[in-house]
Amino acid sequence: MTARRFDVVGLDADDTLWHSEDSFARVEETFTALMAPYAPAGIDVAAALRATERAYLPILGYGVKSFTLAMVKAAIAVSEGTVPALVVGQLVDAGAGMLTETVRLLPDVPAVLADLSRDHRLVLITKGDLVHQTRKVETSGLAHHFELVEVVLEKDPETYARILRQVDVRPERFCMVGNSVRSDILPVLALGAHAVHIPYPLLWEHEHVDHDEDLDELGSISELPAALREAHATS
Amino acid sequence: MTARRFDVVGLDADDTLWHSEDSFARVEETFTALMAPYAPAGIDVAAALRATERAYLPILGYGVKSFTLAMVKAAIAVSEGTVPALVVGQLVDAGAGMLTETVRLLPDVPAVLADLSRDHRLVLITKGDLVHQTRKVETSGLAHHFELVEVVLEKDPETYARILRQVDVRPERFCMVGNSVRSDILPVLALGAHAVHIPYPLLWEHEHVDHDEDLDELGSISELPAALREAHATS
């Protein structure tokens, strides 16, 4: 029996375990379509929504409820107050609908977690809305794999350091896995821990980051168990 | 030197350390005033808002962002879609304004926490919005007193049991302090831990509960340090 390289594996949730960004993209299209009749020619409705989201991020934080409130504010702004209330209601319903959407797991996620959990402790670390993220992990049927589910305000080195202390693991025995270089990879490497990047086809522009680091990257989560064994064999 | 009765004191935040419910009441009045011109005669606008909040609670969870989305939905409903978008915008601004309101501490809170923290470990346990509650505790200047700040989905016995395990304290050595019998007192007593009720003049109707228990109750938080010493002397 070989010793494993990592004691604890941290997993991001949105766009790492299940689809998320494609729902935001779909509701953004609904927003653009619903607002078209009310926005003066020459207004980039989608850009206004993204800018509103960004402007409110420090106040509202991440997640679907914040995004929905940003849609309401952007709709009023781009229509110069002419959008009918019933259309605003449709925007709120489109946003709130994301909160109760069935979780759509990425391929092989249940098998991968079952495999990893045989010889690692698993923690789920996600930004966003407490009620929404908790509902997703519970309705996914995957909650039992996780020793800890942490919904955090921001994924910075301080947050990861606190979680590592909480689960009592040294950085060199921790590996984080996620789709965002900005949130899942760089702050973890900054602590001296390990991280594996698994890109998702869509990335929220807020998560874009330029970096020079040579990162460990996989094409899909199904490659993760072998990659962690490999990490051990070559370490 | 006498041994203390409790190792860990848990404190609720809203309406225990700082004012909260009066802000909701103020914004509810704004809602009622703004909607008056658009609601048909005979509509109880305030009741419709409270019912909308309650209906969305399982989906949206607690907190100001959820309350703000409920205001938007209720405004559209009670006005039968006639509310102008700019009035909806005023409602969103009134709600979002609560998120950045300066924290207004209840009397004596800083001195009480300084006193308690000399011989107890303190944890803050609150429902609501992650970004809002975190901002309040950090801007209050009180964060340094707390070993742990937990923003939870629901204050039920399972949640308290998890937190007690996390801070490694036995129920008989834990005392919770808060203004809601439903959330701060009964679920804690159910675990065999201790709880002190400090009522606030306003209570959200969702927190109302009928009960037969004879509860430890104080008139204000300034009585808490002496009450905990008393609890020791008579235990």
Short mmCIF file of all heavy atoms in Angstrom, two decimals, chain A residues 41-96:
data_model
loop_
_atom_site.label_atom_id
_atom_site.label_comp_id
_atom_site.label_asym_id
_atom_site.label_seq_id
_atom_site.Cartn_x
_atom_site.Cartn_y
_atom_site.Cartn_z
N ALA A 41 -31.94 52.60 -29.09
CA ALA A 41 -30.93 52.09 -30.03
C ALA A 41 -29.55 52.54 -29.58
O ALA A 41 -29.38 53.65 -29.07
CB ALA A 41 -31.22 52.62 -31.44
N GLY A 42 -28.59 51.66 -29.73
CA GLY A 42 -27.21 52.01 -29.39
C GLY A 42 -26.82 51.67 -27.97
O GLY A 42 -25.67 51.83 -27.59
N ILE A 43 -27.76 51.17 -27.16
CA ILE A 43 -27.42 50.75 -25.79
C ILE A 43 -27.00 49.28 -25.83
O ILE A 43 -27.73 48.45 -26.37
CB ILE A 43 -28.65 50.89 -24.85
CG1 ILE A 43 -29.05 52.36 -24.69
CG2 ILE A 43 -28.39 50.22 -23.51
CD1 ILE A 43 -28.30 53.10 -23.62
N ASP A 44 -25.83 48.97 -25.27
CA ASP A 44 -25.41 47.57 -25.14
C ASP A 44 -25.95 47.04 -23.83
O ASP A 44 -25.38 47.23 -22.76
CB ASP A 44 -23.88 47.49 -25.19
CG ASP A 44 -23.38 46.05 -25.17
OD1 ASP A 44 -24.14 45.14 -24.73
OD2 ASP A 44 -22.24 45.82 -25.61
N VAL A 45 -27.09 46.38 -23.92
CA VAL A 45 -27.83 45.94 -22.75
C VAL A 45 -27.04 44.92 -21.91
O VAL A 45 -27.01 45.00 -20.68
CB VAL A 45 -29.19 45.36 -23.23
CG1 VAL A 45 -29.87 44.58 -22.15
CG2 VAL A 45 -30.08 46.49 -23.74
N ALA A 46 -26.39 44.00 -22.60
CA ALA A 46 -25.62 42.96 -21.89
C ALA A 46 -24.44 43.59 -21.14
O ALA A 46 -24.14 43.21 -20.00
CB ALA A 46 -25.14 41.90 -22.87
N ALA A 47 -23.79 44.57 -21.78
CA ALA A 47 -22.65 45.22 -21.13
C ALA A 47 -23.12 46.00 -19.90
O ALA A 47 -22.43 46.04 -18.87
CB ALA A 47 -21.95 46.16 -22.11
N ALA A 48 -24.30 46.63 -20.00
CA ALA A 48 -24.83 47.37 -18.86
C ALA A 48 -25.11 46.43 -17.69
O ALA A 48 -24.86 46.77 -16.53
CB ALA A 48 -26.11 48.12 -19.27
N LEU A 49 -25.65 45.25 -17.99
CA LEU A 49 -25.92 44.28 -16.92
C LEU A 49 -24.62 43.84 -16.25
O LEU A 49 -24.52 43.82 -15.02
CB LEU A 49 -26.66 43.07 -17.50
CG LEU A 49 -26.86 41.89 -16.54
CD1 LEU A 49 -27.59 42.32 -15.27
CD2 LEU A 49 -27.62 40.76 -17.24
N ARG A 50 -23.61 43.52 -17.07
CA ARG A 50 -22.34 43.07 -16.48
C ARG A 50 -21.71 44.17 -15.62
O ARG A 50 -21.17 43.91 -14.55
CB ARG A 50 -21.38 42.61 -17.57
CG ARG A 50 -21.76 41.24 -18.16
CD ARG A 50 -20.63 40.67 -19.02
NE ARG A 50 -20.40 41.47 -20.21
CZ ARG A 50 -21.00 41.27 -21.40
NH1 ARG A 50 -21.88 40.29 -21.53
NH2 ARG A 50 -20.72 42.04 -22.41
N ALA A 51 -21.81 45.42 -16.09
CA ALA A 51 -21.23 46.54 -15.33
C ALA A 51 -22.00 46.76 -14.02
O ALA A 51 -21.41 47.08 -12.99
CB ALA A 51 -21.24 47.81 -16.17
N THR A 52 -23.31 46.57 -14.06
CA THR A 52 -24.12 46.73 -12.85
C THR A 52 -23.75 45.66 -11.82
O THR A 52 -23.58 45.94 -10.63
CB THR A 52 -25.62 46.64 -13.21
OG1 THR A 52 -25.91 47.58 -14.25
CG2 THR A 52 -26.50 46.95 -12.00
N GLU A 53 -23.64 44.42 -12.31
CA GLU A 53 -23.20 43.32 -11.44
C GLU A 53 -21.89 43.65 -10.75
O GLU A 53 -21.74 43.47 -9.54
CB GLU A 53 -22.92 42.10 -12.32
CG GLU A 53 -23.91 40.98 -12.26
CD GLU A 53 -23.33 39.77 -12.96
OE1 GLU A 53 -23.21 39.81 -14.20
OE2 GLU A 53 -22.98 38.81 -12.25
N ARG A 54 -20.93 44.13 -11.56
CA ARG A 54 -19.60 44.43 -11.03
C ARG A 54 -19.67 45.55 -10.00
O ARG A 54 -19.03 45.50 -8.96
CB ARG A 54 -18.69 44.83 -12.20
CG ARG A 54 -17.31 44.30 -12.10
CD ARG A 54 -16.49 44.44 -13.39
NE ARG A 54 -16.90 45.53 -14.25
CZ ARG A 54 -17.28 45.36 -15.53
NH1 ARG A 54 -17.32 44.15 -16.07
NH2 ARG A 54 -17.61 46.40 -16.27
N ALA A 55 -20.49 46.58 -10.31
CA ALA A 55 -20.58 47.73 -9.41
C ALA A 55 -21.17 47.32 -8.06
O ALA A 55 -20.80 47.87 -7.02
CB ALA A 55 -21.44 48.81 -10.05
N TYR A 56 -22.10 46.37 -8.08
CA TYR A 56 -22.77 45.97 -6.83
C TYR A 56 -22.06 44.84 -6.09
O TYR A 56 -22.44 44.52 -4.96
CB TYR A 56 -24.22 45.56 -7.13
CG TYR A 56 -25.14 46.76 -7.20
CD1 TYR A 56 -25.39 47.41 -8.39
CD2 TYR A 56 -25.73 47.27 -6.03
CE1 TYR A 56 -26.21 48.52 -8.45
CE2 TYR A 56 -26.55 48.37 -6.09
CZ TYR A 56 -26.79 49.00 -7.30
OH TYR A 56 -27.59 50.09 -7.34
N LEU A 57 -21.05 44.26 -6.72
CA LEU A 57 -20.39 43.09 -6.12
C LEU A 57 -19.89 43.35 -4.70
O LEU A 57 -20.10 42.53 -3.80
CB LEU A 57 -19.27 42.63 -7.04
CG LEU A 57 -18.78 41.20 -6.93
CD1 LEU A 57 -19.93 40.20 -7.03
CD2 LEU A 57 -17.76 40.91 -8.02
N PRO A 58 -19.22 44.50 -4.44
CA PRO A 58 -18.74 44.72 -3.06
C PRO A 58 -19.88 44.84 -2.06
O PRO A 58 -19.68 44.58 -0.88
CB PRO A 58 -17.98 46.05 -3.17
CG PRO A 58 -17.69 46.24 -4.62
CD PRO A 58 -18.81 45.57 -5.36
N ILE A 59 -21.06 45.27 -2.50
CA ILE A 59 -22.18 45.43 -1.58
C ILE A 59 -23.01 44.15 -1.49
O ILE A 59 -23.36 43.70 -0.40
CB ILE A 59 -23.09 46.59 -2.05
CG1 ILE A 59 -22.31 47.91 -1.98
CG2 ILE A 59 -24.36 46.68 -1.19
CD1 ILE A 59 -23.01 49.06 -2.67
N LEU A 60 -23.31 43.55 -2.64
CA LEU A 60 -24.23 42.41 -2.66
C LEU A 60 -23.53 41.07 -2.53
O LEU A 60 -24.16 40.08 -2.12
CB LEU A 60 -25.05 42.42 -3.97
CG LEU A 60 -25.95 43.63 -4.22
CD1 LEU A 60 -26.62 43.50 -5.60
CD2 LEU A 60 -27.03 43.75 -3.14
N GLY A 61 -22.25 41.01 -2.92
CA GLY A 61 -21.56 39.72 -2.90
C GLY A 61 -21.95 38.86 -4.09
O GLY A 61 -22.68 39.30 -4.97
N TYR A 62 -21.44 37.62 -4.07
CA TYR A 62 -21.65 36.69 -5.19
C TYR A 62 -22.99 35.98 -5.08
O TYR A 62 -23.56 35.88 -4.00
CB TYR A 62 -20.54 35.63 -5.20
CG TYR A 62 -19.17 36.21 -5.42
CD1 TYR A 62 -18.32 36.46 -4.36
CD2 TYR A 62 -18.74 36.53 -6.71
CE1 TYR A 62 -17.05 37.01 -4.57
CE2 TYR A 62 -17.48 37.08 -6.93
CZ TYR A 62 -16.64 37.32 -5.86
OH TYR A 62 -15.41 37.87 -6.07
N GLY A 63 -23.46 35.46 -6.21
CA GLY A 63 -24.60 34.55 -6.17
C GLY A 63 -25.80 35.04 -6.94
O GLY A 63 -25.84 36.16 -7.45
N VAL A 64 -26.79 34.16 -7.00
CA VAL A 64 -27.96 34.37 -7.86
C VAL A 64 -28.83 35.52 -7.37
O VAL A 64 -29.36 36.29 -8.17
CB VAL A 64 -28.77 33.05 -7.95
CG1 VAL A 64 -30.15 33.31 -8.53
CG2 VAL A 64 -28.02 32.03 -8.79
N LYS A 65 -29.00 35.68 -6.07
CA LYS A 65 -29.85 36.78 -5.58
C LYS A 65 -29.23 38.13 -5.94
O LYS A 65 -29.93 39.07 -6.36
CB LYS A 65 -30.07 36.66 -4.07
CG LYS A 65 -31.01 35.52 -3.71
CD LYS A 65 -31.36 35.46 -2.24
CE LYS A 65 -30.16 35.29 -1.38
NZ LYS A 65 -30.47 34.64 -0.09
N SER A 66 -27.92 38.24 -5.81
CA SER A 66 -27.22 39.47 -6.18
C SER A 66 -27.36 39.73 -7.67
O SER A 66 -27.62 40.87 -8.10
CB SER A 66 -25.74 39.36 -5.81
OG SER A 66 -25.61 39.07 -4.43
N PHE A 67 -27.20 38.69 -8.47
CA PHE A 67 -27.33 38.80 -9.92
C PHE A 67 -28.75 39.26 -10.28
O PHE A 67 -28.94 40.10 -11.16
CB PHE A 67 -27.01 37.43 -10.54
CG PHE A 67 -27.27 37.34 -12.02
CD1 PHE A 67 -26.50 38.03 -12.94
CD2 PHE A 67 -28.29 36.51 -12.50
CE1 PHE A 67 -26.75 37.92 -14.31
CE2 PHE A 67 -28.54 36.41 -13.86
CZ PHE A 67 -27.77 37.12 -14.77
N THR A 68 -29.75 38.73 -9.60
CA THR A 68 -31.15 39.08 -9.88
C THR A 68 -31.41 40.55 -9.55
O THR A 68 -32.07 41.26 -10.32
CB THR A 68 -32.09 38.15 -9.10
OG1 THR A 68 -31.74 36.79 -9.40
CG2 THR A 68 -33.55 38.40 -9.48
N LEU A 69 -30.91 41.00 -8.42
CA LEU A 69 -31.07 42.42 -8.07
C LEU A 69 -30.34 43.31 -9.08
O LEU A 69 -30.85 44.38 -9.45
CB LEU A 69 -30.56 42.68 -6.65
CG LEU A 69 -31.45 42.14 -5.53
CD1 LEU A 69 -30.74 42.18 -4.18
CD2 LEU A 69 -32.77 42.94 -5.44
N ALA A 70 -29.19 42.87 -9.56
CA ALA A 70 -28.46 43.64 -10.58
C ALA A 70 -29.27 43.70 -11.88
O ALA A 70 -29.29 44.75 -12.55
CB ALA A 70 -27.08 43.02 -10.84
N MET A 71 -29.97 42.61 -12.22
CA MET A 71 -30.82 42.63 -13.42
C MET A 71 -31.92 43.68 -13.29
O MET A 71 -32.23 44.41 -14.25
CB MET A 71 -31.47 41.26 -13.65
CG MET A 71 -30.58 40.27 -14.38
SD MET A 71 -31.54 38.93 -15.15
CE MET A 71 -32.20 38.09 -13.72
N VAL A 72 -32.54 43.76 -12.11
CA VAL A 72 -33.62 44.73 -11.90
C VAL A 72 -33.08 46.15 -12.05
O VAL A 72 -33.66 46.99 -12.77
CB VAL A 72 -34.28 44.53 -10.51
CG1 VAL A 72 -35.28 45.65 -10.23
CG2 VAL A 72 -34.96 43.16 -10.43
N LYS A 73 -31.94 46.42 -11.41
CA LYS A 73 -31.36 47.77 -11.51
C LYS A 73 -30.95 48.10 -12.95
O LYS A 73 -31.20 49.20 -13.44
CB LYS A 73 -30.11 47.87 -10.61
CG LYS A 73 -30.39 47.86 -9.13
CD LYS A 73 -31.09 49.13 -8.65
CE LYS A 73 -30.15 50.32 -8.68
NZ LYS A 73 -30.85 51.54 -8.18
N ALA A 74 -30.35 47.13 -13.64
CA ALA A 74 -29.90 47.38 -15.02
C ALA A 74 -31.09 47.57 -15.94
O ALA A 74 -31.04 48.40 -16.86
CB ALA A 74 -29.02 46.22 -15.50
N ALA A 75 -32.18 46.83 -15.70
CA ALA A 75 -33.37 46.95 -16.56
C ALA A 75 -33.95 48.35 -16.45
O ALA A 75 -34.34 48.96 -17.45
CB ALA A 75 -34.41 45.91 -16.15
N ILE A 76 -34.00 48.88 -15.24
CA ILE A 76 -34.54 50.23 -15.03
C ILE A 76 -33.62 51.26 -15.70
O ILE A 76 -34.08 52.18 -16.37
CB ILE A 76 -34.71 50.51 -13.52
CG1 ILE A 76 -35.73 49.52 -12.93
CG2 ILE A 76 -35.15 51.95 -13.28
CD1 ILE A 76 -35.75 49.47 -11.42
N ALA A 77 -32.31 51.04 -15.55
CA ALA A 77 -31.36 52.01 -16.12
C ALA A 77 -31.40 52.01 -17.64
O ALA A 77 -31.53 53.07 -18.26
CB ALA A 77 -29.95 51.70 -15.61
N VAL A 78 -31.28 50.83 -18.28
CA VAL A 78 -31.16 50.83 -19.75
C VAL A 78 -32.48 51.24 -20.41
O VAL A 78 -32.47 51.74 -21.54
CB VAL A 78 -30.68 49.47 -20.33
CG1 VAL A 78 -29.31 49.11 -19.79
CG2 VAL A 78 -31.69 48.36 -20.10
N SER A 79 -33.61 51.05 -19.72
CA SER A 79 -34.90 51.46 -20.29
C SER A 79 -35.26 52.89 -19.90
O SER A 79 -36.34 53.37 -20.24
CB SER A 79 -36.00 50.51 -19.83
OG SER A 79 -36.32 50.76 -18.47
N GLU A 80 -34.38 53.53 -19.17
CA GLU A 80 -34.66 54.88 -18.65
C GLU A 80 -36.00 54.91 -17.93
O GLU A 80 -36.80 55.84 -18.06
CB GLU A 80 -34.61 55.91 -19.78
CG GLU A 80 -33.20 55.99 -20.36
CD GLU A 80 -33.08 56.90 -21.59
OE1 GLU A 80 -34.12 57.21 -22.18
OE2 GLU A 80 -31.94 57.28 -21.93
N GLY A 81 -36.24 53.86 -17.16
CA GLY A 81 -37.44 53.80 -16.32
C GLY A 81 -38.72 53.41 -17.06
O GLY A 81 -39.79 53.43 -16.47
N THR A 82 -38.60 53.01 -18.33
CA THR A 82 -39.82 52.70 -19.10
C THR A 82 -40.20 51.22 -19.08
O THR A 82 -41.24 50.85 -19.60
CB THR A 82 -39.67 53.14 -20.57
OG1 THR A 82 -38.64 52.33 -21.18
CG2 THR A 82 -39.30 54.61 -20.67
N VAL A 83 -39.34 50.37 -18.52
CA VAL A 83 -39.67 48.94 -18.52
C VAL A 83 -40.93 48.70 -17.68
O VAL A 83 -41.04 49.19 -16.56
CB VAL A 83 -38.46 48.11 -18.01
CG1 VAL A 83 -38.06 48.51 -16.60
CG2 VAL A 83 -38.76 46.61 -18.05
N PRO A 84 -41.91 47.96 -18.20
CA PRO A 84 -43.12 47.69 -17.40
C PRO A 84 -42.81 46.78 -16.22
O PRO A 84 -41.93 45.91 -16.30
CB PRO A 84 -44.05 46.98 -18.40
CG PRO A 84 -43.48 47.23 -19.75
CD PRO A 84 -42.01 47.41 -19.56
N ALA A 85 -43.57 46.98 -15.14
CA ALA A 85 -43.35 46.18 -13.94
C ALA A 85 -43.46 44.69 -14.22
O ALA A 85 -42.72 43.88 -13.65
CB ALA A 85 -44.36 46.60 -12.86
N LEU A 86 -44.36 44.29 -15.11
CA LEU A 86 -44.52 42.86 -15.37
C LEU A 86 -43.27 42.26 -16.02
O LEU A 86 -42.94 41.10 -15.79
CB LEU A 86 -45.76 42.61 -16.25
CG LEU A 86 -47.08 42.91 -15.53
CD1 LEU A 86 -48.27 42.73 -16.48
CD2 LEU A 86 -47.25 42.04 -14.29
N VAL A 87 -42.54 43.07 -16.77
CA VAL A 87 -41.28 42.58 -17.34
C VAL A 87 -40.22 42.46 -16.24
O VAL A 87 -39.46 41.49 -16.20
CB VAL A 87 -40.81 43.52 -18.48
CG1 VAL A 87 -39.43 43.12 -18.97
CG2 VAL A 87 -41.82 43.50 -19.61
N VAL A 88 -40.21 43.44 -15.33
CA VAL A 88 -39.32 43.31 -14.17
C VAL A 88 -39.64 42.02 -13.41
O VAL A 88 -38.75 41.29 -12.98
CB VAL A 88 -39.44 44.54 -13.23
CG1 VAL A 88 -38.62 44.34 -11.97
CG2 VAL A 88 -39.01 45.81 -13.95
N GLY A 89 -40.93 41.73 -13.27
CA GLY A 89 -41.33 40.48 -12.61
C GLY A 89 -40.81 39.25 -13.32
O GLY A 89 -40.37 38.29 -12.68
N GLN A 90 -40.81 39.29 -14.68
CA GLN A 90 -40.27 38.15 -15.43
C GLN A 90 -38.77 37.99 -15.19
O GLN A 90 -38.26 36.87 -15.11
CB GLN A 90 -40.52 38.35 -16.93
CG GLN A 90 -41.98 38.20 -17.32
CD GLN A 90 -42.21 38.49 -18.80
OE1 GLN A 90 -42.24 39.66 -19.21
NE2 GLN A 90 -42.33 37.46 -19.60
N LEU A 91 -38.06 39.12 -15.05
CA LEU A 91 -36.62 39.05 -14.75
C LEU A 91 -36.39 38.42 -13.38
O LEU A 91 -35.51 37.57 -13.21
CB LEU A 91 -36.00 40.45 -14.78
CG LEU A 91 -35.99 41.16 -16.14
CD1 LEU A 91 -35.46 42.58 -15.99
CD2 LEU A 91 -35.16 40.38 -17.15
N VAL A 92 -37.18 38.84 -12.39
CA VAL A 92 -37.02 38.28 -11.04
C VAL A 92 -37.34 36.78 -11.07
O VAL A 92 -36.63 35.98 -10.45
CB VAL A 92 -37.91 39.02 -10.02
CG1 VAL A 92 -37.88 38.34 -8.67
CG2 VAL A 92 -37.46 40.48 -9.89
N ASP A 93 -38.38 36.41 -11.82
CA ASP A 93 -38.71 34.98 -11.89
C ASP A 93 -37.60 34.18 -12.58
O ASP A 93 -37.29 33.06 -12.16
CB ASP A 93 -40.04 34.79 -12.65
CG ASP A 93 -41.23 35.29 -11.83
OD1 ASP A 93 -41.07 35.48 -10.61
OD2 ASP A 93 -42.32 35.48 -12.42
N ALA A 94 -37.00 34.76 -13.62
CA ALA A 94 -35.90 34.07 -14.30
C ALA A 94 -34.72 33.87 -13.35
O ALA A 94 -34.09 32.81 -13.31
CB ALA A 94 -35.46 34.86 -15.53
N GLY A 95 -34.43 34.90 -12.55
CA GLY A 95 -33.35 34.79 -11.57
C GLY A 95 -33.68 33.79 -10.48
O GLY A 95 -32.91 32.87 -10.21
N ALA A 96 -34.86 33.96 -9.88
CA ALA A 96 -35.25 33.06 -8.78
C ALA A 96 -35.34 31.61 -9.27
O ALA A 96 -35.08 30.68 -8.53
CB ALA A 96 -36.57 33.52 -8.17
#
